[in-house]
């Protein structure tokens, strides 16, 4: 399978011809949506690629941001979900954008729960989608790629859980991308009404050879209204040659609790941005990320915790395991706005160095405009030395298993924050699969 | 009967391969036997045990180590361990974050056939019984390997690992150092309990004290990278009485 053979401009790869084709396929969708897409396409073409002088791209490999040659994928054969063999509420599988969906149980549907492919939601619940789509964009440097997502997105899930509905079992989405030089633009939109509770787990995987070159620009908007409890898990295991952007935005209302965990295993260069806004008193955002950086991959993570309302809390813990000559960048900022008294905000980046040649950059930051707050940030790097490795080997544990043991132990603190044991186990298994000798 | 043969072994630091530390050492250990190597500090005892285990800091510049008739020099450290070698470290490493239970589980799992799953219930039962024998609190299973352990706890943890992994040959490097008399007794009892015709032991020590509790079949004196004297357990007592200077003088007289 390969990219559709449309002409490409040398600078961008994805051309206005691609966009025109995409737009004609979307013709049946609401006019506001098509207008938003046109505006986004214009923004994408107008915005320059990140440059050396962009503070938000400090330490990133800018040469790696090469968009040439990519095209939209042709439909792929149905993908079989392979990572979510656990009890779930409902499942959506996208294979090169082609959706296959399991039914939403009648009792949930009866209470107003919507779990549908984005395009279906646009047709059937257009106004609902419109009032939340990119309502609180994260602006942490990837505006160009977010615009590209809006312009070309046709896939992704819309999850809506109305007020007072608590859903115990997770909703599951799997995106599979197959083909050389193909691009995908998944967009996830989650809206939890007041006091609603739900978990969404997304798996992003490449379906073909590990060497397939792919481009992904994904966005998700997570909205938790007053007293809502949202758990979002995004696990990516893209091919070794994928250039991936993932931009999360989290909006937490009064007394809402949002836990987001992003697991990064794949990609050649993977950029992840996450912005939490604590909008109502008592709101809490738990921002978690786990990364296995091996080979010569680059994982580039930028975060922002914005405390808008008083008595809000946020807790960020990003853990990177670095091997070989991999590179990670963590740049995090906490902003406490003038009204946000009694804020508790924490930010920690912890790196486990399993190689002397790996590189971990950490750029923590604080910007406090209120006077009665508790904030802390920090980064640590722990090194596994040759003696420790020899000790494990001397007990008969092979090098790959030893690394898996060390990395799993390091990640456990984060995985333990997941309430759902099945999801915890699925992520552990996915991580372990990265260490097969 | 399985044997571990050390043949005319020369070992140097990988960084300085032309400066041997172990200089032509010969020793054969059979299962069922306990050999003690005694020698002053700096004579190459730890170097010998680490080189046999495959530590990357050391190179074997000549000679051979034969386990059950096969050279192990081309094997990786983990392969050597799975082939039946065990090194009880003089200075065990701390592995933060990895619990003893998970660590030992990975080590036991590594010895199973491809695809074979560990029986977790049986594993814990065995683990707890060995811990009881060594008077190690069961709470230790969830503690990180050696992290914050006292000297005595580290050494007992080494013996626990040995008990769980059931090696054919154990190289025990100064397992007695840093132990008070009670801890020494517990460790010695643990080793004695494993003693039998399925296990060969090389006890490295520079005190005779341990040998009161684990009585060796053979005693070797190591000096300047080689074995200069061998005998039975009485040699250890003689050495204790006369000191290492006695060996040095004998050696000087012999080479004069
Ligand atoms: N990793 C090492 N780095 C530097 N020197 C070493 C190392 N290992 C051993 N040596 C040197 O080799 C000699 C023998 O050391 P060692 O084997 O530890 O002796 P023993 O265990 O008998 O006390 C000493 O001079 C010691 O300094
Ligand atoms: Mg020593």
């Amino acid at each position: 399978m390969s990219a559709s053979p449309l002409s490409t401009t040398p600078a961008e790869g994805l051309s206005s011809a691609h966009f025109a084709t995409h737009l004609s396929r979307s013709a049946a969708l609401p006019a506001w949506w098509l207008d938003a897409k046109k505006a986004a396409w214009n923004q994408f073409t107008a915005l320059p690629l990140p440059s050396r002088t962009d503070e938000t791209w400090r330490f990133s490999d800018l040469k790696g941001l090469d968009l040439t040659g990519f095209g939209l994928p042709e439909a792929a054969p149905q993908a079989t979900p392979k990572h979510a063999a656990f009890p779930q509420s409902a499942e959506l599988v996208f294979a090169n954008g082609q959706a296959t969906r399991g039914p939403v149980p009648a009792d949930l549907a009866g209470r107003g729960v919507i779990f549908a492919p984005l395009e279906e939601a646009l047709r059937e619940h257009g106004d609902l989608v419109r009032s939340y789509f990119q309502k609180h964009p994260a602006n942490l440097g990837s505006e160009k790629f977010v615009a590209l997502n809006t312009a070309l997105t046709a896939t992704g899930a819309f999850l809506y859980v109305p007020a007072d509905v608590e859903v115990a079992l997770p909703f599951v989405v799997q995106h599979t991308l197959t083909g050389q030089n193909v691009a995908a633009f998944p967009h996830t939109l989650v809206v939890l009404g007041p006091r609603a509770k739900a978990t969404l787990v997304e798996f992003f995987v490449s379906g073909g050879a590990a060497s397939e070159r792919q481009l992904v620009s994904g966005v998700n908007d997570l909205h938790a209204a007053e007293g809502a409890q949202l758990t979002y898990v995004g696990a990516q295991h893209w091919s070794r040659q994928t250039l991936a952007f993932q931009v999360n935005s989290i909006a937490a209302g009064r007394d809402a609790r949002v836990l987001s965990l992003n697991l990064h295993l794949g990609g050649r260069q993977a950029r992840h941005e996450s912005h939490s806004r604590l909008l109502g008193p008592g709101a809490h955002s738990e921002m978690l990320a786990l990364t296995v950086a091996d080979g010569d991959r680059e994982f580039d993570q930028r975060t922002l915790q914005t405390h808008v309302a008083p008595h809000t809390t946020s807790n960020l813990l990003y853990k990177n395991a670095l091997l070989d000559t991999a590179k990670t960048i963590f740049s995090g900022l906490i902003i406490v706005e003038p009204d946000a008294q009694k804020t508790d905000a924490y930010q920690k980046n912890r790196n486990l160095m399993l190689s002397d040649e790996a590189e971990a950059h950490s750029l923590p930051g604080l910007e406090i405009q209120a006077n009665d707050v508790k904030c802390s940030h920090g980064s640590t790097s722990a090194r596994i030395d040759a003696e420790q490795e020899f000790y494990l080997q001397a007990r008969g544990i092979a090098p790959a298993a030893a690394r898996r043991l060390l990395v799993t132990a390091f990640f456990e603190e984060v995985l333990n924050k997941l309430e759902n044991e099945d999801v915890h186990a699925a992520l552990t298994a996915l991580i372990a699969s990265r260490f097969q000798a | 009967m399985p044997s571990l043969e050390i043949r005319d072994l020369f070992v140097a630091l990988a960084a300085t391969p032309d400066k041997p530390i172990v200089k032509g050492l010969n020793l054969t250990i059979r299962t069922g036997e306990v050999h003690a190597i005694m020698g002053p500090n700096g004579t190459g005892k730890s170097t010998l045990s680490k080189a046999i285990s495959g530590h990357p800091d050391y190179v074997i510049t000549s000679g051979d180590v034969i386990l059950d008739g096969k050279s192990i020099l081309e094997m990786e450290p983990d392969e050597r361990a799975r082939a039946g070698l065990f090194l009880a470290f003089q200075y065990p490493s701390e592995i933060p974050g990895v619990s003893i239970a998970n660590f030992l589980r990975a080590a036991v799992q590594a010895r199973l056939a491809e695809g074979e799953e560990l029986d977790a219930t049986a594993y814990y039962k065995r683990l707890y019984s060995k811990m009881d024998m060594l008077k190690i609190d069961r709470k230790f299973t969830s503690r990180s390997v050696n992290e914050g352990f006292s000297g005595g706890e580290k050494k007992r943890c080494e013996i626990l690992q040995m008990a769980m992994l059931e090696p054919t040959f154990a190289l025990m490097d100064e397992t007695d150092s840093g132990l008070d008399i009670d801890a020494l007794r517990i460790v010695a009892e643990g080793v004695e309990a494993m003693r039998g015709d399925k296990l060969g032991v090389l006890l490295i020590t520079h005190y005779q004290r341990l040998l009161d509790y684990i009585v060796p079949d053979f005693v070797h004196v190591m000096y300047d990278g080689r074995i200069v004297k061998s005998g039975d357990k009485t040699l250890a007592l003689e050495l204790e009485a006369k000191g290492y200077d006695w060996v040095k003088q004998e050696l000087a007289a012999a080479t004069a």
Side-chain angles (χ1 to χ4, degrees):
Chain A
M1 194 145 320
S2 61
S4 56
L6 291 169
S7 65
T8 55
T9 64
E12 302 293 356
L14 288 156
S15 65
S16 32
H18 283 110
F19 180 63
T21 310
H22 170 74
L23 211 57
S24 67
R25 282 186 203 150
S26 313
L29 297 171
W32 70 266
W33 176 249
L34 302 182
D35 290 344
K37 281 181 167 291
K38 284 176 210 157
W41 179 259
N42 289 337
Q43 194 192 0
F44 166 69
T45 51
L47 284 172
L49 279 167
S51 74
R52 271 282 143 247
T53 53
D54 283 327
E55 193 55 26
T56 55
W57 290 85
R58 208 168 151 212
F59 295 119
S60 310
D61 173 20
L62 300 180
K63 284 197 293 293
L65 306 177
D66 173 12
L67 306 183
T68 53
F70 291 110
L72 300 173
E74 290 156 14
Q78 279 195 358
T80 32
K82 45 182 175 179
H83 297 295
F86 50 80
Q88 48 194 258
S89 287
E91 184 172 58
L92 263 174
V93 178
F94 295 95
N96 282 7
Q98 197 79 32
T100 316
R101 52 183 308 191
V104 175
D107 63 317
L108 294 180
R111 284 190 284 165
V113 173
I114 302 166
F115 181 56
L118 190 64
E119 292 204 328
E120 181 186 311
L122 280 161
R123 284 192 299 270
E124 294 177 12
H125 311 280
D127 291 345
L128 196 54
V129 174
R130 184 179 193 177
S131 52
Y132 289 99
F133 186 85
Q134 284 286 281
K135 184 176 174 186
H136 298 291
N139 296 315
L140 298 175
S142 286
E143 290 78 356
K144 183 178 176 73
F145 307 107
V146 172
L148 182 63
N149 175 278
T150 302
L152 291 174
T153 188
T155 65
F158 175 61
L159 174 63
Y160 174 74
V161 183
D164 297 305
V165 175
E166 293 194 11
V167 186
L169 295 176
F171 293 91
V172 177
V173 178
Q174 182 179 310
H175 297 269
T176 305
L177 185 60
T178 310
Q180 170 70 3
N181 284 336
V182 298
F185 307 97
H187 197 115
T188 306
L189 179 56
V190 179
V191 179
L192 261 54
R195 297 164 305 279
K197 183 175 181 183
T199 297
L200 176 68
V201 182
E202 292 197 281
F203 295 96
F204 301 92
V205 294
S206 294
S211 60
E212 280 180 350
R213 175 179 183 258
Q214 299 174 336
L215 169 70
V216 180
S217 178
V219 175
N220 57 48
D221 303 334
L222 312 178
H223 301 268
E226 183 178 332
Q229 294 176 61
L230 170 62
T231 299
Y232 172 82
V233 175
Q236 71 89 344
H237 194 180
W238 295 122
S239 82
R240 290 199 156 268
Q241 292 305 324
T242 297
L243 172 62
F245 303 91
Q246 179 70 37
V247 178
N248 294 352
S249 125
I250 294 155
R254 175 183 284 269
D255 294 327
R257 301 184 68 79
V258 179
L259 181 152
S260 57
L261 193 171
N262 286 278
L263 173 65
H264 306 282
L265 298 176
R268 171 179 52 77
Q269 187 171 351
R271 165 103 172 183
H272 163 73
E273 296 177 6
S274 191
H275 184 181
S276 279
R277 288 179 178 85
L278 291 308
L279 299 171
H284 175 74
S285 181
E286 191 83 18
M287 300 167 75
L288 308 168
L290 297 173
T291 303
V292 179
D294 66 354
D296 60 354
R297 301 155 193 262
E298 174 180 300
F299 291 89
D300 180 4
Q301 302 171 342
R302 316 277 163 160
T303 66
L304 178 55
Q305 294 149 265
T306 307
H307 289 256
V308 180
H311 292 282
T312 49
T313 54
S314 66
N315 187 19
L316 178 147
L317 179 57
Y318 275 37
K319 287 193 163 189
N320 299 320
L322 291 99
L323 303 96
D324 308 323
T325 58
K327 174 166 123 183
T328 62
I329 304 155
F330 170 81
S331 170
L333 181 63
I334 296 173
I335 295 179
V336 181
E337 294 193 350
D339 288 343
Q341 299 295 359
K342 305 282 182 195
T343 283
D344 271 6
Y346 302 99
Q347 180 202 91
K348 195 146 203 151
N349 167 224
R350 306 221 315 130
N351 300 307
L352 180 69
M353 313 297 293
L354 293 119
S355 155
D356 287 337
E357 288 153 279
E359 236 181 275
H361 300 274
S362 200
L363 302 161
L366 286 177
E367 200 180 299
I368 301 176
Q369 297 153 18
N371 52 29
D372 185 11
V373 303
K374 271 196 264 179
C375 290
S376 80
H377 62 64
S379 75
T380 57
S381 284
R383 185 169 295 280
I384 294 299
D385 64 29
E387 281 310 314
Q388 291 167 306
E389 257 177 286
F390 178 68
Y391 190 76
L392 293 165
Q393 273 187 275
R395 296 300 173 250
I397 302 170
R403 286 192 289 271
R404 185 187 63 220
L405 195 65
L406 293 165
V407 171
T408 313
F410 178 61
F411 284 176
E412 207 50 24
E413 178 190 2
V414 167
L415 293 171
N416 280 340
K417 294 187 189 237
L418 290 172
E419 244 177 61
N420 186 304
E421 293 291 330
D422 296 327
V423 176
H424 183 152
L427 296 188
T428 302
L430 193 56
I431 294 162
S433 74
R434 290 285 279 100
F435 291 95
Q436 242 109 58
Chain B
M1 191 186 296
S3 64
L4 180 68
E5 278 180 69
I6 304 162
R7 286 190 195 156
D8 200 21
L9 198 71
F10 283 76
V11 183
L13 283 169
T16 49
D18 51 343
K19 288 195 202 137
I21 299 170
V22 173
K23 305 166 183 171
L25 191 137
N26 287 286
L27 181 63
T28 297
I29 306 167
R30 292 178 185 81
T31 49
E33 297 175 352
V34 173
H35 291 245
I37 286 193
M38 303 182 71
N41 269 332
T43 209
K45 302 185 299 296
S46 293
T47 300
L48 173 70
S49 64
K50 287 200 216 171
I52 294 171
S53 308
H55 195 292
D57 282 358
Y58 302 92
V59 281
I60 289 172
T61 50
S62 79
D64 209 345
V65 180
I66 316 279
L67 178 65
D68 297 341
K70 269 188 359 212
S71 173
I72 60 168
L73 297 190
E74 293 303 312
M75 293 162 79
E76 294 298 323
D78 56 305
E79 296 175 283
R80 298 184 195 193
R82 291 196 300 274
L85 270 189
F86 183 89
L87 171 62
F89 286 73
Q90 181 173 6
Y91 303 109
S93 288
E94 303 190 2
I95 322 273
V98 178
S99 69
I100 293 198
N102 284 342
F103 167 65
L104 271 172
R105 203 183 159 128
V108 173
Q109 176 83 50
R111 286 161 173 78
L112 300 179
E114 184 83 38
E116 192 183 339
E117 272 304 311
L118 186 98
D119 176 348
T121 322
Y123 162 73
Y124 273 102
K125 206 173 147 197
R126 210 159 75 80
L127 178 60
Y128 287 144
S129 86
K130 306 287 185 196
M131 291 178 86
D132 292 350
M133 172 184 83
L134 292 162
K135 303 197 169 56
I136 299 173
D137 192 321
R138 290 184 181 190
K139 285 199 200 87
F140 266 72
T141 48
S142 57
R143 287 188 52 182
S144 294
V145 176
N146 295 323
E147 194 184 30
F149 286 19
S150 70
E153 286 167 342
K154 282 184 183 165
K155 295 301 169 78
R156 264 188 281 168
C157 184
E158 294 292 290
I159 305 303
L160 173 66
Q161 294 169 39
M162 179 174 154
M164 288 298 287
L165 301 178
E166 298 179 333
T168 341
F169 291 97
L171 314 173
M172 309 186 67
D173 192 0
E174 309 237 6
T175 300
D176 53 334
S177 67
L179 295 187
D180 62 27
I181 198 74
D182 291 332
L184 183 69
R185 206 172 273 139
I186 293 167
V187 162
E189 279 167 15
V191 176
E192 279 297 319
M194 286 180 252
R195 199 165 170 172
D197 58 8
K198 289 197 167 58
L199 175 68
V201 177
L202 182 64
L203 275 181
I204 294 172
T205 180
H206 66 263
Y207 297 111
Q208 123 81 18
R209 193 175 68 146
L210 177 69
L211 307 184
D212 290 339
Y213 297 94
I214 308 173
V215 179
D217 303 301
F218 305 93
V219 174
H220 311 277
V221 179
M222 184 167 170
Y223 184 76
D224 193 24
R226 56 177 83 85
I227 287 173
V228 293
K229 219 171 170 47
S230 293
D232 62 13
K233 63 183 177 189
T234 57
L235 178 57
L237 297 169
E238 200 175 356
L239 199 61
E240 178 84 351
K242 298 186 183 170
Y244 286 112
D245 282 347
W246 161 63
V247 181
K248 276 187 229 176
Q249 280 155 14
E250 272 204 351
L251 216 59
T255 51

